[in-house]
Structure formats: C-alpha cells, structure tokens
Amino acid sequence: MKDLSFIIVNYNTKIITSDCIESINKNKTLANFNYEIIVVDNNSSDGSLEYFQKQNFDNVRLIRNEANKGFGQANNIGAINSQGEYLVLLNSDTIVDQTNFSLLINTISGDESIGVLSAKILNENGTIQSLGFNFPGLRNDAKLNLLFWNYNFIKKFRYKKYKDKGVFKADWVSGCFMIMRKSDYQSINGFDENIFMYAEDVDLCFRLFKNKKYSYINDQTFIYHLHGKSGDKKNIKLSQLLKRKENYYYVIKKNKLFGNSKLFLIKLTYLINSLVVVTGKKLKSKTH
C-alpha cells in the first residue's frame, strides 16, 4: 500500500511529461511519503515509451494504451492500477517541485467532507491562473463568456490584490491538479468515459458534490500549470472552439443542471465569445 499515487496521462508530450515527473521526485515535502508515479501513455507516436524507459525515472510505472483513450479513461486506467490511499491527478504540463504535499495531505486527511483538494494554480510567470470555479449557470457563464472572466487579461485585474485565504470551498476545480481519496474516486467510478477530453473535471466534481463530497482549495501552496504547452492554441478555429464545448453541454444535460431555454442562452453567449476570440486572433496574426 502506497500513501500517494501520482497519475499523469501522456500523449506525445514526452519532454514536458518528463519535466513533470522530475518535479515530483525533486519535491522535498514528499520525503516522508511512500509514493508511486503512474504514467498512462495514450498510444503516443513520438517515442514516449522508449524515452521514459531510457530515462529510468525513480518510482515510475508505465502503462501503455493501444489507442488514444482520452484524458478521463486514461486516468481511470491509472487509478485501477494504483496502490495509493490518495490519488494525485496531474496534467503532463504541470510542475510541482515547490508544492507542499505535507500541507495538502494534512488538509484532506483531516476533513472527510473534502472530495477533491487542489492548490493555487499559477501560470509560468507566477500569476494566478485558477482558484476553482462555479458550476454552470446563466449568470456564471455570461460572466465567463461575455466579460471574458477567465482570460488572463481580466485575471490580472481580478487577482491584482489577492491575499491567501487558506482552505476554502469551490464548486469545482481544474483536472490539471486534483488530490482525492482513492475510495471517493472509486465511489463514483472515476471520470465519465463518454467524455474524451474537456469538462470531465466539472462532471467529476458535481457527482462528488451530490454525494456530499466537496471541492476545496488550499491556496497556501501552489503548482505551476504551463497552460497550452500540451496543445496548439494559436491557430484555433471557430469549429474547434464550438466542438470543445460540446462536452460541457453534455455534462449540463446529463446532470440535469437546468432546462433547454437556459442552455440555449448559454450556448449563445459562448458563440459570441468564440467569434470574438477567433476574430481577435486573425487580426493579431495579420499585424505580425
């Protein structure tokens, strides 16, 4: 039995996944924990498996999928093969060498109501990227889509005078960094495997919420999320943005969060947002 099982899904990101693994093994707060690192490879074509085997990382177990099974299913496969009391789900593009895991495990172990625990998520330059989110709703989504509430140029103002709060509740937290009891993960059968990628974290947190297991942040420690390093966002198309949101709407319908009229309005606000984003990127590319 291990204390912690780190699970990282890799798909053609061998270098940043390696950096993530090294950041775990460099972390001094893990000295008193018996942990394992499980890398689930989604049938990468960049020589990832051979690369990881050559690196001979400490504590790493490789699982090879015969096909790209998506983020959620790959995490579920990692969880099934894990031996830890706690699961630590990490995006491949995260760095955790300075994260205080002693603090985080003490936080979650001391409160049975915590279903998922996260930390302050920082951008590479040290600015705040995420401190948890609200569940879908007309007011929340209008703010996100029409006021660009979750974009970096707005977050600069939102978090300019931010002061740490300690431990506090959020509706849901990003799947880039989640700590949870393996037993809680198993109680809801992990991620919904109908979701290939995007919005699986909203769904997971909501299903835990229905079981009276809540999402929390401890902002007295942090991780770095090198957002965008595992995907190309520069040449994003309108069709890609709209398709990416389909899983979000699936989660709303599946969990019966609200009716079709409200969902239609939310879709409209996102369409407006997407048109502005794509147009802005086109104009920006023409000026360079």
Side-chain angles (χ1 to χ4, degrees):
M1 186 74 176
K2 306 279 187 182
D3 298 318
L4 308 176
S5 293
F6 291 87
I7 300 175
I8 307 167
V9 178
N10 178 74
Y11 180 64
N12 294 331
T13 55
K14 61 186 179 185
I15 303 301
I16 59 174
T17 299
S18 298
D19 291 342
C20 181
I21 293 167
E22 287 181 352
S23 77
I24 296 169
N25 284 329
K26 285 179 182 175
N27 190 300
K28 293 179 181 178
T29 68
L30 289 169
N32 296 322
F33 291 101
N34 183 9
Y35 69 89
E36 63 179 352
I37 303 169
I38 299 172
V39 176
V40 184
D41 185 79
N42 263 336
N43 196 30
S44 294
S45 58
D46 67 342
S48 284
L49 286 174
E50 296 82 2
Y51 179 82
F52 295 139
Q53 287 163 353
K54 283 181 182 177
Q55 294 298 310
N56 196 26
F57 291 113
D58 291 335
N59 306 321
V60 172
R61 198 143 46 97
L62 293 169
I63 298 174
R64 178 181 182 179
N65 289 335
E66 295 300 323
N68 184 357
K69 296 182 179 293
F71 181 80
Q73 189 174 352
N75 270 295
N76 289 349
I77 290 167
I80 289 166
N81 288 279
S82 68
Q83 300 172 8
E85 180 183 357
Y86 293 94
L87 303 179
V88 185
L89 309 185
L90 280 176
N91 267 23
S92 59
D93 55 353
T94 55
I95 300 294
V96 297
D97 57 317
Q98 298 176 61
T99 308
N100 189 337
F101 283 101
S102 294
L103 175 68
L104 292 170
I105 298 304
N106 284 339
T107 301
I108 191 169
S109 64
D111 190 343
E112 282 290 329
S113 73
I114 299 177
V116 184
L117 180 66
S118 190
K120 185 160 50 182
I121 312 296
L122 301 180
N123 293 306
E124 193 170 8
N125 63 5
T127 57
I128 295 174
Q129 183 182 116
S130 168
L131 287 165
F133 305 93
N134 295 320
F135 286 135
L138 187 54
R139 179 181 292 181
N140 176 65
D141 284 63
K143 189 162 65 172
L144 289 172
N145 295 330
L146 301 181
L147 299 181
F148 298 88
W149 203 242
N150 204 38
Y151 282 70
N152 282 329
F153 70 94
I154 295 295
K155 286 190 281 191
K156 283 180 183 177
F157 297 101
R158 283 176 59 195
Y159 297 130
K160 190 174 183 180
K161 296 181 180 180
Y162 182 81
K163 293 181 179 177
D164 291 349
K165 303 173 187 175
V167 181
F168 60 93
K169 191 184 283 189
D171 283 349
W172 65 277
V173 298
S174 170
C176 76
F177 181 68
M178 291 177 155
I179 300 177
M180 64 191 82
R181 294 173 183 84
K182 185 177 179 179
S183 58
D184 286 336
Y185 191 83
Q186 291 173 321
S187 73
I188 58 165
N189 298 315
F191 286 115
D192 182 341
E193 295 185 1
N194 290 314
I195 303 173
F196 186 81
M197 199 163 112
Y198 302 120
E200 65 283 303
D201 41 14
V202 188
D203 178 70
L204 181 97
C205 291
F206 186 75
R207 286 185 287 122
L208 283 167
F209 174 83
K210 288 196 292 187
N211 284 355
K212 297 183 178 178
K213 291 280 188 171
Y214 306 110
S215 299
Y216 280 85
I217 310 282
N218 189 330
D219 65 4
Q220 293 174 308
T221 189
F222 59 89
I223 72 154
Y224 289 104
H225 182 208
L226 316 181
H227 204 46
K229 291 293 177 73
S230 57
D232 181 15
K233 292 191 173 185
K234 291 181 180 178
N235 300 312
I236 198 79
K237 295 178 181 177
L238 179 63
S239 59
Q240 291 174 298
L241 285 173
L242 297 179
K243 187 172 178 58
R244 184 178 292 182
K245 208 69 173 179
E246 286 177 3
N247 290 332
Y248 186 74
Y249 305 141
Y250 163 79
V251 170
I252 291 170
K253 289 179 179 178
K254 169 195 163 184
N255 292 292
K256 299 176 181 176
L257 297 183
F258 41 78
N260 288 332
S261 57
K262 194 177 283 188
L263 180 57
F264 172 78
L265 291 172
I266 284 175
K267 287 183 177 181
L268 185 61
T269 66
Y270 184 69
L271 176 60
I272 294 167
N273 174 280
S274 300
L275 287 167
V276 172
V277 169
V278 171
T279 303
K281 286 186 181 293
K282 284 181 178 178
L283 291 172
K284 190 175 180 181
S285 65
K286 285 181 180 179
T287 58
H288 287 288

